[in-house]
Amino acid sequence: MEATPALALLDRFADAIDAQGIAAVPAELLISLVEVARSVDASPIAIDVLVDPTEPEVVRERAYCKLAIQVVGRTPSRPAVAPTAPSTLRPLLPA
């Protein structure tokens, strides 16, 4: 199963936080996450907290978690495809 670009971005952001802390997240990752968050109408307050370097790291990390939940919940997923029976190549589920 392929991850959507938004999920891949969240993974890269989380890896960056894990590696060096939220203060060391590259600017391009931060900008990309803000763009994705805004595109799904995520919390503008959480976005402001995330990008504010004067906020404590733990507060910024919590803002990231809130945004990640909202991005995952509001990002459209690929349409599901009904499984097919290998012998008949007909859908197993009624259409």
Side-chain angles (χ1 to χ4, degrees):
M1 181 177 195
E2 277 182 39
T4 65
L7 295 180
L9 172 63
L10 292 172
D11 284 342
R12 288 192 352 250
F13 201 96
D15 289 343
I17 291 172
D18 189 42
Q20 298 179 4
I22 198 160
V25 170
E28 66 272 2
L29 272 181
L30 190 59
I31 291 167
S32 295
L33 179 58
V34 167
E35 289 172 353
V36 168
R38 286 185 176 144
S39 75
V40 298
D41 293 324
S43 169
I45 294 171
I47 293 170
D48 289 346
V49 169
L50 177 70
V51 300
D52 185 351
T54 64
E55 291 286 351
E57 285 195 22
V58 68
V59 175
R60 293 179 71 203
E61 289 171 2
R62 287 181 185 158
Y64 163 75
C65 291
K66 181 176 183 96
L67 292 172
I69 290 167
Q70 291 177 351
V71 167
V72 169
R74 298 175 185 178
T75 300
S77 60
R78 290 188 302 157
V81 177
T84 56
S87 61
T88 63
L89 297 178
R90 292 187 311 228
L92 293 175
L93 304 174

